[in-house]
Amino acid sequence: MINSVAIQGIKGSFHHIVAQAFFQENVEIKEYLSFDAAVQSLLNGQTDTVIMALENSIAGSIIPNYALIDVNKLHIVGEHYLDIQHHLMALPGQRIYDIKEVHSHPMALLQCKAFFEDYPHIKLIEANDTADVAKQIQDKQLNGVSAIASDLAANIFGLDILAKSIQTISHNETRFVVVKRHNSEITKNEINKVSLKFELEHKRGSLAAVLNMMSDCKLNLTKIQSLPKIETPWKYAFFVDVTFDDYNDYNKAKAILKLMAQDFKILGEYKNAKQ
Amino acid sequence: MINSVAIQGIKGSFHHIVAQAFFQENVEIKEYLSFDAAVQSLLNGQTDTVIMALENSIAGSIIPNYALIDVNKLHIVGEHYLDIQHHLMALPGQRIYDIKEVHSHPMALLQCKAFFEDYPHIKLIEANDTADVAKQIQDKQLNGVSAIASDLAANIFGLDILAKSIQTISHNETRFVVVKRHNSEITKNEINKVSLKFELEHKRGSLAAVLNMMSDCKLNLTKIQSLPKIETPWKYAFFVDVTFDDYNDYNKAKAILKLMAQDFKILGEYKNAKQ
């Protein structure tokens, strides 16, 4: 069965790269303008999978995407890490001194700001999607305009890379998750990472008690975040990722957590992509 | 001494409201286009205080502002909670059916999107600052254009409120911090909340051990967040807020934490605004 995969952005975007890397097979890519629209396509059955950036090593968690998974009762069935490299690209034959404007997503412009200090003649202009700028440059044969995007985008839209990896912080690892309406189809033996959400009474030591129990059950914490609950300000939920060697250990912790915590929820059971 | 306070945005913005509420006295407000620029003004001595939104009950933490405090070795000397209410406003005499466009900050537009579903004739347009749109409407006497902003902005720029509290989620409490170059001047008796940052070895149970110790020392956790370390992807730092009744309890925990954790840092010692 060919997976029909919703991505935010257009082909050539980092989400497209992740879809290719994760499925390593023919997938049908469907392009959406927002994460909201991508999730909507999953809910109404137009697609069967959504690829979603969830956190990166510069900005931290992308909280609204956690909310999309949580509120719509979706399941994380896999994860993929991508080291995001931003390249400067333009029509073939253009040199960097021909470039008058660079258009890109505000986040990409921010991450590459320092590079452009050496090129004060280049104006930085915000755009909606990194890959879409590359597409426009090719479609409209825009001279003097450059994009900041992936090498896949340069490839697809036939642009030349003028400068490679122009972002200030050389490593910008981003964690993407693969999301479906239904649970993962992998076996319990293959599952070694889970994403959990739970609430605790605001009582001294309540979180420490839960983390102790998890540690006793041989779970490794890879992420923790307290998050305000929408509609009840300052009541906190916890989002926690853990890894483990033995599914039985996790199973035991899960049974205890159901008793210890309120509103316990499994956001996903999947294979750890970092091993 | 009059405080010279840097705010992100212009007078009438939510940061301005917080500056007034926190200092309850004459402060000289200086307007900056970004949090970066506001912090720069503090570092070069043009201002002596910065007001900064740090987290809200919808989107979670504003991570780049944590980084600004951390990297520039600034100190949180106080906090203030504001329930953000968005109002629709226009020139006096305008009715909602006269309005063709609403301009506001993307975050404000997002939070009020549902309201405009009943008014499909109104076009939503992104702007840099909520209050600045109100100012432009008055300065340029723009008919048919409305702003989404605070009642202070309506007041300052002489606009009429067409609809009150149009945001979808009625409570949107935002936590602002008051930041200076030097430590708080309040006495140890007055301090009952601190913001801490530390790193831990990625070892099972290491965070549980720290939280146990804190609980033993009678500290109450009000926030926890693991954050990727910039330049060393997936090595995590922890940002933690705790409250306490007795400064001596905190002092003891602090001494132990210096031994247990790496790179322990106090981001601020101040008075809990929620009691």
Side-chain angles (χ1 to χ4, degrees):
Chain A
M1 192 193 115
I2 290 176
N3 277 288
S4 168
V5 179
I7 61 169
Q8 191 248 1
I10 69 164
K11 283 175 194 171
S13 70
F14 293 105
H15 284 81
H16 183 198
I17 294 175
V18 171
Q20 289 189 329
F22 187 82
F23 289 105
Q24 297 177 334
E25 69 192 66
N26 254 340
V27 287
E28 187 198 2
I29 299 291
K30 294 196 176 167
E31 305 168 335
Y32 294 92
L33 288 175
S34 66
F35 286 116
D36 252 322
V39 165
Q40 218 46 56
S41 79
L42 183 68
L43 294 174
N44 64 29
Q46 291 174 317
T47 59
D48 53 42
T49 311
V50 173
I51 305 284
M52 220 184 243
L54 206 54
E55 52 187 316
N56 75 56
S57 53
I58 295 174
S61 296
I62 303 167
I63 302 297
N65 286 355
Y66 267 95
L68 279 174
I69 295 170
D70 186 18
V71 170
N72 295 303
K73 300 184 173 57
L74 303 178
H75 296 269
I76 299 170
V77 302
E79 62 173 9
H80 185 83
Y81 292 89
L82 186 71
D83 189 17
I84 301 238
Q85 297 292 318
H86 289 300
H87 311 304
L88 187 70
M89 56 193 70
L91 285 174
Q94 294 265 296
R95 294 159 315 150
I96 196 152
Y97 294 99
D98 300 326
I99 301 302
K100 290 181 186 66
E101 297 178 357
V102 55
H103 297 233
S104 197
H105 190 273
M107 193 57 81
L109 291 174
L110 194 70
Q111 289 172 8
C112 303
K113 214 167 61 179
F115 173 83
F116 292 100
E117 283 168 11
D118 290 342
Y119 305 97
H121 66 287
I122 300 179
K123 214 172 135 189
L124 277 58
I125 297 171
E126 297 192 358
N128 281 327
D129 187 66
T130 56
D132 192 47
V133 177
K135 183 174 188 297
Q136 298 301 325
I137 291 173
Q138 183 55 256
D139 286 358
K140 300 179 185 160
Q141 289 289 302
L142 300 174
N143 281 303
V145 178
S146 61
I148 301 172
S150 69
D151 32 22
L152 182 63
N155 233 313
I156 293 178
F157 303 113
L159 300 185
D160 276 5
I161 291 180
L162 299 177
K164 279 189 85 73
S165 300
I166 62 169
Q167 73 277 4
T168 306
I169 296 167
S170 55
H171 294 288
N172 176 18
E173 198 163 38
T174 298
R175 179 177 174 239
F176 294 80
V177 286
V178 180
V179 173
K180 290 185 183 272
R181 259 167 306 163
H182 305 293
N183 224 330
S184 177
E185 284 143 30
I186 62 173
T187 67
K188 287 182 180 177
N189 283 336
E190 290 175 291
I191 295 169
N192 57 4
K193 186 169 182 182
V194 297
S195 294
L196 310 173
K197 183 200 165 194
F198 54 84
E199 289 168 25
L200 291 173
E201 270 185 77
H202 188 61
K203 216 174 72 183
R204 202 175 69 219
S206 58
L207 179 62
V210 166
L211 297 190
N212 276 334
M213 180 278 287
M214 286 184 169
S215 169
D216 289 346
C217 288
K218 298 183 189 143
L219 307 187
N220 278 299
L221 195 71
T222 61
K223 184 218 168 86
I224 182 165
Q225 171 143 32
S226 63
L227 257 200
K229 277 195 65 183
I230 291 185
E231 278 302 349
T232 50
W234 308 105
K235 180 167 182 189
Y236 276 82
F238 294 91
F239 288 83
V240 164
D241 288 349
V242 293
T243 60
F244 44 84
D245 293 327
D246 186 340
Y247 190 88
N248 293 321
D249 288 333
Y250 158 61
N251 225 10
K252 187 177 154 195
K254 191 164 69 172
I256 303 173
L257 203 49
K258 276 181 190 159
L259 303 171
M260 285 180 91
Q262 294 155 20
D263 228 1
F264 171 67
K265 197 169 169 183
I266 299 162
L267 299 180
E269 301 183 335
Y270 48 94
K271 233 176 121 173
N272 184 2
K274 285 237 162 183
Q275 280 183 300
Chain B
M1 189 192 117
I2 291 176
N3 278 287
S4 168
V5 179
I7 61 169
Q8 190 249 2
I10 69 164
K11 282 176 195 171
S13 69
F14 294 105
H15 283 82
H16 183 198
I17 294 175
V18 171
Q20 289 188 328
F22 187 83
F23 289 105
Q24 297 177 336
E25 68 192 67
N26 254 339
V27 287
E28 186 198 0
I29 299 291
K30 292 195 177 168
E31 305 167 335
Y32 294 91
L33 288 176
S34 66
F35 286 116
D36 252 321
V39 165
Q40 219 46 54
S41 79
L42 183 68
L43 293 175
N44 63 29
Q46 289 174 318
T47 59
D48 52 42
T49 310
V50 172
I51 305 284
M52 220 184 242
L54 206 53
E55 52 188 315
N56 75 56
S57 52
I58 295 174
S61 296
I62 303 166
I63 302 296
N65 286 354
Y66 267 96
L68 278 174
I69 295 170
D70 186 18
V71 171
N72 295 301
K73 300 184 171 58
L74 303 177
H75 296 269
I76 299 171
V77 303
E79 62 173 10
H80 185 82
Y81 293 89
L82 186 70
D83 188 17
I84 300 237
Q85 297 293 318
H86 289 299
H87 310 305
L88 187 69
M89 56 192 72
L91 285 175
Q94 296 265 294
R95 293 158 315 148
I96 196 150
Y97 295 98
D98 300 325
I99 301 302
K100 289 181 187 62
E101 297 177 358
V102 56
H103 297 233
S104 197
H105 190 273
M107 193 57 82
L109 292 174
L110 192 71
Q111 289 171 8
C112 302
K113 214 166 61 178
F115 173 84
F116 291 101
E117 283 168 11
D118 291 341
Y119 305 96
H121 67 287
I122 300 179
K123 213 172 136 189
L124 277 58
I125 297 171
E126 296 192 359
N128 281 325
D129 187 67
T130 55
D132 191 48
V133 176
K135 183 175 186 298
Q136 299 300 327
I137 291 172
Q138 183 55 255
D139 286 357
K140 300 178 185 162
Q141 289 288 302
L142 300 174
N143 281 303
V145 179
S146 61
I148 301 172
S150 69
D151 33 20
L152 182 63
N155 234 313
I156 293 178
F157 303 113
L159 300 184
D160 276 5
I161 292 179
L162 299 177
K164 278 188 87 74
S165 301
I166 62 170
Q167 72 277 4
T168 306
I169 297 167
S170 56
H171 294 289
N172 175 17
E173 198 164 37
T174 298
R175 179 175 174 239
F176 294 80
V177 287
V178 181
V179 173
K180 289 185 184 273
R181 260 167 306 163
H182 304 292
N183 224 331
S184 177
E185 284 143 31
I186 63 174
T187 67
K188 288 182 179 177
N189 283 337
E190 289 174 291
I191 295 170
N192 57 5
K193 185 169 184 182
V194 296
S195 294
L196 309 174
K197 183 201 165 193
F198 54 84
E199 289 168 22
L200 291 173
E201 271 185 77
H202 189 61
K203 217 175 71 183
R204 203 176 69 218
S206 59
L207 180 62
V210 166
L211 296 190
N212 276 334
M213 180 280 287
M214 285 183 170
S215 169
D216 289 345
C217 287
K218 297 182 190 147
L219 306 188
N220 277 298
L221 196 71
T222 61
K223 182 216 168 86
I224 182 165
Q225 172 143 33
S226 63
L227 256 199
K229 278 196 67 184
I230 291 184
E231 279 300 352
T232 49
W234 308 105
K235 180 167 182 189
Y236 276 83
F238 294 91
F239 287 83
V240 163
D241 288 349
V242 293
T243 60
F244 45 84
D245 293 328
D246 186 341
Y247 190 90
N248 293 321
D249 289 332
Y250 158 62
N251 226 10
K252 188 177 153 196
K254 190 165 67 174
I256 303 172
L257 203 49
K258 276 180 190 161
L259 302 173
M260 285 180 90
Q262 294 154 20
D263 228 3
F264 172 67
K265 197 168 169 184
I266 300 163
L267 300 179
E269 301 183 334
Y270 48 94
K271 235 176 121 172
N272 184 3
K274 284 237 162 182
Q275 281 183 298

